[in-house]
């Protein structure tokens, strides 16, 4: 079986890099065709499935959430105490956190604007940005312009699971206002340390989070985010309950996800075996074809393919494949129909008489 994984907002990506709407539509159509040719498509949440369906994807879809290998340890707890002592000026000061690439695409400008609103309201906090990225200088300039240098701190890159876990453990709330991300790993990583997140209302990233239950949801705006941060952290007992529910409902180790992944693969393999191999590519008479499945990609990369174990002397395999055709060499006729789709399906087929 051919199994695909959907986790990207292709439409937005194409719009960012291509001015031509015609090309955007053509590329999106091609992506959808690839997924529709799969026997099964895996995606993380109902929200990400909805994105795939909005593109026109008609394939069978199964949900498989993200996981994390981060977990609390004695070393993490000790490191978290050091992080809190380094940044927290008094016991009542709240530590807000962002972890990830410092890209404007993540709506970090909104998060910093919300911090300005919090300061103006007299809310005692610090906002720690863990990570690096191409837009860091833009964000630093915004912090300077808003005179937030003592409130918004650029931590930089943090290596090591225990060191990163220390920040999750030490902080009070994860800020993640991105409207671009589909199912951010940081949401799961934070939940491993009972750290809830505040996310933007109506975004795929907010999937699985119920406001005030296992996290917080706010409309996409600086004022709304600031207001929800204050209300979330003003009731310590309610926030403690949200922390506990975040861990219970959002944290799943990768071992569990891998086991579920394996189950889905085995089910699909068994289903295909029960109904018999179905040739993809719109071939009228599959009985006239023989297949090669072993190391197709390796042979293609090496500039050769084999039929029934016998090597084919074919020049410029890669260019021919990229051109949508494959020439099998002297004495063996070309077979150009749907070359790419067969290769994508993990096999390459030629007329039986060619063997």
């Amino acid at each position: 079986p051919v199994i695909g994984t959907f986790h990207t907002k292709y439409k937005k990506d194409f719009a960012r890099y291509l001015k031509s709407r015609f090309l955007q539509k053509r590329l999106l159509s091609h992506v959808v065709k690839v997924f529709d040719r799969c026997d099964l498509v895996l995606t993380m949440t109902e929200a990400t499935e909805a994105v795939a369906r909005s593109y026109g994807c008609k394939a069978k879809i199964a949900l498989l959430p993200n996981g994390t290998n981060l977990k609390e340890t004695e070393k993490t707890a000790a490191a978290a105490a050091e992080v809190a002592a380094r940044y927290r000026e008094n016991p009542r000061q709240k530590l807000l956190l962002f972890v990830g690439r410092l890209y404007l695409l993540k709506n970090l400008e909104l998060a910093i604007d919300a911090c300005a609103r919090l300061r103006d309201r007299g809310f005692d906090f610090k906002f720690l940005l863990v990570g690096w990225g191409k837009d860091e200088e833009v964000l630093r300039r915004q912090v300077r312009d808003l005179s937030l240098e003592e409130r918004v701190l650029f931590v930089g890159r943090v290596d090591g699971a225990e060191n990163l876990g220390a920040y999750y453990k030490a902080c009070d709330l994860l800020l993640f206002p991105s409207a671009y991300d589909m199912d951010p790993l940081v949401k799961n990583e934070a939940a491993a340390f009972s750290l809830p997140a505040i996310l933007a209302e109506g975004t795929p990233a907010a999937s699985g989070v119920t406001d005030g239950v296992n996290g917080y949801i706010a409309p996409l705006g600086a004022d709304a985010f600031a207001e929800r941060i204050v209300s979330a952290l003003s009731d310590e007992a309610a926030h403690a309950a949200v922390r506990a529910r975040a861990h219970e409902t959002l944290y799943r180790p990768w071992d569990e996800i891998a086991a579920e992944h394996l189950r889905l693969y085995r089910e699909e393999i068994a289903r295909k075996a029960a109904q018999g191999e179905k040739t993809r590519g719109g071939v009228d008479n599959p009985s006239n074809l023989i297949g090669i499945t072993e190391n197709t990609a390796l042979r293609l990369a090496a500039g050769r393919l084999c039929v029934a174990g016998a090597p084919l002397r074919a020049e410029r395999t890669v260019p021919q494949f990229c051109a949508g055709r494959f020439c099998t060499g002297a004495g063996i006729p070309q077979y150009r129909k749907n070359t790419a789709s067969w290769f994508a399906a993990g096999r390459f087929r030629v007329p039986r008489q060619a063997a």
Side-chain angles (χ1 to χ4, degrees), residues 112-129:
I112 293 172
D113 282 340
C115 288
R117 310 294 200 278
L118 293 173
R119 177 203 55 197
D120 295 343
R121 295 182 56 159
F123 188 75
D124 192 10
F125 75 98
K126 283 186 178 177
F127 181 32
L128 311 181
L129 291 107

Side-chain angles (χ1 to χ4, degrees), residues 44-49 63-66 181-184 187-188 191 195-217 242-252:
M44 295 81 68
T45 66
E46 291 180 355
T48 58
E49 179 183 2
L63 302 184
L64 190 67
N66 283 321
D181 289 77
M182 295 280 269
D183 187 42
K187 182 175 68 176
N188 307 73
L195 178 67
I198 178 170
L199 302 116
E201 184 178 34
T203 62
S207 182
V209 173
T210 301
D211 186 43
V213 177
N214 60 350
Y216 304 98
I217 306 293
V242 172
R243 294 185 75 125
R245 287 294 291 163
H247 182 81
E248 292 171 8
T249 60
L250 299 176
Y251 166 63
R252 289 188 68 184

Side-chain angles (χ1 to χ4, degrees), residues 131-157:
W132 72 102
K134 65 183 181 67
D135 295 322
E136 180 173 342
E137 187 50 45
V138 176
L139 298 172
R140 285 184 179 272
R141 189 181 309 120
Q142 182 186 5
V143 169
R144 290 194 297 269
D145 291 345
L146 293 172
S147 301
L148 286 169
E149 294 94 333
E150 295 184 359
R151 300 280 191 157
V152 179
L153 306 177
F154 293 83
V155 175
R157 178 171 179 161

Side-chain angles (χ1 to χ4, degrees), residues 21-306:
R21 291 193 175 184
F22 172 77
L23 288 177
Q24 293 173 25
K25 290 180 179 179
R26 288 297 299 270
L27 284 172
L28 186 62
S29 174
H30 176 73
V31 168
V32 171
K33 286 179 181 178
V34 170
F35 282 116
D36 280 348
R37 298 189 67 79
C38 292
D39 297 291
L40 177 67
V41 173
L42 302 178
T43 192
M44 295 81 68
T45 66
E46 291 180 355
T48 58
E49 179 183 2
V51 173
R53 297 301 187 199
S54 74
Y55 293 167
C57 180
K58 297 178 176 63
K60 181 173 71 173
I61 293 180
L63 302 184
L64 190 67
N66 283 321
T68 177
N69 285 331
L70 296 184
K71 60 182 179 180
E72 289 195 44
T73 65
E74 292 183 3
K75 290 183 179 180
T76 302
E82 294 178 4
V83 169
R86 187 184 315 146
Y87 294 107
R88 187 174 276 130
E89 296 176 355
N90 63 75
R92 297 189 62 82
Q93 187 177 62
K94 303 301 182 182
L95 294 183
L96 311 178
L97 179 68
F98 171 83
V99 175
R101 296 174 294 172
L102 302 186
Y103 287 0
L104 298 182
L105 199 63
K106 303 279 189 179
N107 265 342
L108 288 173
E109 291 173 302
L110 182 151
I112 293 172
D113 282 340
C115 288
R117 310 294 200 278
L118 293 173
R119 177 203 55 197
D120 295 343
R121 295 182 56 159
F123 188 75
D124 192 10
F125 75 98
K126 283 186 178 177
F127 181 32
L128 311 181
L129 291 107
V130 173
W132 72 102
K134 65 183 181 67
D135 295 322
E136 180 173 342
E137 187 50 45
V138 176
L139 298 172
R140 285 184 179 272
R141 189 181 309 120
Q142 182 186 5
V143 169
R144 290 194 297 269
D145 291 345
L146 293 172
S147 301
L148 286 169
E149 294 94 333
E150 295 184 359
R151 300 280 191 157
V152 179
L153 306 177
F154 293 83
V155 175
R157 178 171 179 161
V158 174
D159 292 318
E162 291 177 343
N163 293 329
L164 180 58
Y167 281 87
Y168 287 124
K169 179 72 174 175
C171 291
D172 299 289
L173 188 63
L174 178 74
L175 271 58
F176 201 83
S178 173
Y180 172 78
D181 289 77
M182 295 280 269
D183 187 42
L185 289 172
V186 292
K187 182 175 68 176
N188 307 73
E189 292 176 351
F193 300 89
S194 302
L195 178 67
I198 178 170
L199 302 116
E201 184 178 34
T203 62
S207 182
V209 173
T210 301
D211 186 43
V213 177
N214 60 350
Y216 304 98
I217 306 293
L220 196 57
D223 290 325
F225 255 70
E227 179 64 33
R228 194 66 186 101
I229 290 169
V230 172
S231 62
L233 297 180
S234 296
D235 188 334
E236 293 187 3
H239 186 59
V242 172
R243 294 185 75 125
R245 287 294 291 163
H247 182 81
E248 292 171 8
T249 60
L250 299 176
Y251 166 63
R252 289 188 68 184
W254 275 121
D255 285 348
E256 288 185 12
I257 304 301
E260 180 69 6
H261 213 137
L262 182 61
R263 181 187 67 79
L264 289 169
Y265 267 62
R266 284 174 170 166
E267 286 181 357
E268 201 59 31
I269 291 170
R271 185 187 67 81
K272 291 286 285 187
Q275 70 182 26
E277 178 88 14
K278 286 187 176 180
T279 302
R280 296 180 176 275
V283 180
D284 296 329
N285 189 0
S287 64
N288 289 332
L289 302 176
I290 60 172
I292 51 168
T293 59
E294 245 182 69
N295 297 321
T296 308
L298 293 177
R299 290 170 180 167
L300 177 70
R304 61 182 184 275
L305 281 172
C306 291

